[in-house]
Amino acid sequence: MTHTPELPLEMRRNGLDPVEELGQVRDDQGVLRQMTAFGVPAYLILRHEDVREVLSDATRFSSRMRFPDDDELSEEEQAKSRAGHLIAFDPPEHTRLRRMLTPEFTVRRMRRLEPRITEIVESALDDLERSGKPSDLVAHFALPVPSMVICELLGVPYSDRGEFQHRAARQLDLSAQVEERNAARREQRAYMADLVARAQAHPGEDMLGMLVREHGDDLSADELIGIAGLLLLAGHETTSNMLALGTLALLQHPDQLAMIRDDSARAEPAVEELMRWLSIVPSLMRTTTTEVKIAGRTIPAGSIVVPSPIAANRDSALIDDPDALDITRSAASHVAFGHGVHHCLGAPLARMEMRTAFPALLRRFPSLALADPDAALDFQIFSPVYGLRSLPVTW
C-alpha cells in the first residue's frame, strides 16, 4: 500500500525545471519553514551562498540526525544501519572512513578505469541497438552503464543487478509505507553482509577486497557493509538518472546536443552544466548544533535545515541566466555534487562515466529522438533522487 506525501517545495518540478515558486521564495526570503518529505519540520535553505555555508561547516551543521524511518528499527538495527554510512557522520568519524576510500576515487585512478568504462558504454550501446526501435534508454543504457561500473569496482556480481536495483527503488520511494522501505533496507543489508563475508574469506582485487586487505583491522564488518551498501546505491542510482535526464535535456536543446555529438571535448563542460541545471538531488539535510542566523532568519539549535542544491544552482548570484541550459559556459561552483567535507566521493567516477557516455550515445545514434514527443514521460517524483523510470527513444 502506498500513500501520497506532500512534496516539499524543492522536490516539485515542471519536467526538468523546478517550480517557479522555488525561485521566488529564494529571491524574496532565502529561508522557508516547511515539512520535509519525511513529515518533520525543517528550514529550507535556498540561496547559493547560504547553501555553501551550511555544507562547508560541519561544526554548526551536523550530518548526524535521526530519520523518521528509523523509529521502526530497534536500537541495534539503527546502530548497524548507521555504521560505515559516511553521509551520516561528522569529522573525525567521517574523516577516518573517507580517508580509506579516497585513493580509490582519485582522478588518476579514474583515468586507469577509462578504457573499461569505454568498453562498458559500447556494450550497452550494442544492447540498445539490438533491442530495436523504439527502445527504453533507461533499461538498455542509462541504468546498465553505471550499474556495471560500480559492480566491477566493488566486486558485486552484475547478475544480481535486478534484485539490488529493485530494492534500491523501494528504499527510495517516499510514497511507500515506512515498513516497506525498511524491509528493503533490511534485505539490502543482508545481501551486502553476505558479500562482505565472502570478501573477508577470499579478498579479491576489487574495492571490497582492498578494504579487507588494507583496512580489515580498522573497519568492523558492519562498517564494511555500510560502506559497500552506500557506494552500490549511490554509484548506480545517481549516475543512471543523470544519463537519462541529461539525454532528455539535450534532446530538448538540439543545438547543444549537436555540439557534444560533433566534438567530444565539449562533453566535459557539458557535464558540469547538466549537473548544475538538473540538480537531481534537490535537497540535503543537516541539524544545527547551535543557534544560527541565515538570510536574516534566526534558526534555533537542534533544528533540521535543508540546503537545496537545485535552488542554489538556479541562483542568479551563481551564474547569469541560471534557468537557461548553456553547455558552453563554466559552472564550476555548482553544488550538485555537494560541498565541503561531504562533497560526493564518487564525483570523479560519475564525471568520467558521463563524459564517456554522452558523446558515445550521440555518435552511435546521430538521429536520436523521443519515440513519441507528445507522450507524457514517467518521472521519478517521490524520491530523494529525481529521475526517469523510462525514456522511450528512436533513431
Side-chain angles (χ1 to χ4, degrees):
M1 179 181 176
T2 60
H3 66 292
T4 306
E6 178 72 24
L7 275 179
L9 183 60
E10 77 281 3
M11 289 180 67
R12 300 177 204 162
R13 302 235 186 178
N14 290 322
L16 299 180
D17 291 306
V19 294
E20 260 186 63
E21 186 184 353
L22 186 73
Q24 293 169 353
V25 175
R26 177 196 58 226
D27 298 341
D28 295 343
Q29 302 173 41
V31 175
L32 177 69
R33 180 76 161 161
Q34 65 168 7
M35 301 297 284
T36 70
F38 295 97
V40 294
Y43 293 87
L44 181 63
I45 313 300
L46 296 164
R47 294 174 183 164
H48 182 260
E49 179 183 4
D50 297 330
V51 167
R52 281 175 64 95
E53 178 184 349
V54 171
L55 296 179
S56 64
D57 189 344
T59 302
R60 291 187 302 149
F61 302 97
S62 173
S63 293
R64 284 185 171 271
M65 63 178 59
R66 185 186 180 92
F67 288 94
D69 282 16
D70 293 340
D71 292 342
E72 196 220 4
L73 305 178
S74 68
E75 288 295 326
E76 182 182 4
E77 280 185 304
Q78 289 180 41
K80 286 178 177 291
S81 180
R82 282 193 297 268
H85 213 267
L86 278 77
I87 59 176
F89 286 98
D90 299 321
E93 297 96 327
H94 171 268
T95 309
R96 177 181 73 87
L97 292 169
R98 186 165 177 131
R99 187 180 294 125
M100 299 178 199
L101 291 167
T102 298
E104 294 299 306
F105 288 98
T106 61
V107 172
R108 185 177 178 182
R109 169 74 168 133
M110 291 307 107
R111 286 192 184 125
R112 292 207 302 271
L113 285 175
E114 187 171 8
R116 180 59 185 140
I117 291 174
T118 299
E119 289 177 359
I120 289 171
V121 167
E122 292 300 326
S123 175
L125 290 172
D126 291 342
D127 178 59
L128 179 62
E129 193 165 14
R130 280 193 302 268
S131 69
K133 53 186 179 181
S135 185
D136 181 8
L137 189 86
V138 172
H140 293 283
F141 184 70
L143 189 52
V145 167
S147 294
M148 182 169 281
V149 170
I150 198 64
C151 280
E152 290 195 5
L153 198 61
L154 276 176
V156 175
Y158 186 60
S159 57
D160 294 346
R161 65 192 181 281
E163 295 173 25
F164 72 67
Q165 288 166 0
H166 178 65
R167 288 191 295 266
R170 286 165 57 207
Q171 281 180 263
L172 297 174
D173 184 0
L174 299 179
S175 69
Q177 295 291 343
V178 171
E179 294 81 7
E180 185 179 350
R181 295 200 296 267
N182 280 336
R185 286 171 68 183
R186 291 185 179 106
E187 291 167 17
Q188 193 77 326
R189 192 179 186 286
Y191 172 76
M192 298 311 302
D194 181 59
L195 287 181
V196 166
R198 280 188 261 166
Q200 288 174 319
H202 304 286
E205 295 304 312
D206 48 70
M207 191 181 298
L208 262 182
M210 177 278 294
L211 288 171
V212 168
R213 282 194 308 274
E214 298 183 16
H215 305 289
D217 295 334
D218 305 315
L219 289 169
S220 68
D222 285 333
E223 286 178 324
L224 283 166
I225 292 165
I227 289 169
L230 176 62
L231 293 177
L232 181 62
L233 177 66
H236 81 272
E237 186 69 28
T238 50
T239 307
S240 67
N241 284 315
M242 267 305 303
L243 288 174
L245 289 175
T247 300
L248 177 60
L250 292 172
L251 289 172
Q252 293 177 353
H253 297 78
D255 56 331
Q256 301 189 56
L257 180 153
M259 290 183 202
I260 301 172
R261 183 193 63 217
D262 299 338
D263 181 3
S264 58
R266 297 273 193 176
E268 186 165 350
V271 165
E272 299 307 315
E273 175 67 352
L274 286 165
M275 288 293 305
R276 178 200 71 82
W277 194 70
L278 292 168
S279 296
I280 62 170
V281 178
S283 57
L284 304 166
M285 295 181 76
R286 299 290 188 268
T287 302
T288 57
T289 60
T290 185
E291 182 179 278
V292 297
K293 184 170 263 192
I294 299 178
R297 181 90 172 256
T298 299
I299 300 176
S303 300
I304 294 175
V305 295
V306 178
S308 174
I310 190 168
N313 285 336
R314 295 289 189 107
D315 190 345
S316 60
L318 167 66
I319 203 164
D320 292 337
D321 197 11
D323 291 322
L325 177 70
D326 180 359
I327 66 165
T328 66
R329 64 181 167 189
S330 171
S333 296
H334 71 75
V335 289
F337 282 120
H339 182 64
V341 297
H342 286 284
H343 182 270
C344 177
L345 180 68
L349 177 60
R351 286 184 167 112
M352 175 71 72
E353 291 179 76
M354 287 186 279
R355 284 201 306 265
T356 304
F358 283 126
L361 170 67
L362 301 176
R363 284 195 304 267
R364 177 75 72 94
F365 303 103
S367 58
L368 190 72
L370 293 177
D372 182 354
D374 298 323
L377 294 172
D378 188 10
F379 288 100
Q380 184 175 281
I381 298 169
F382 294 104
S383 171
V385 183
Y386 192 61
L388 280 161
R389 291 189 180 88
S390 64
L391 183 62
V393 296
T394 188
W395 52 87

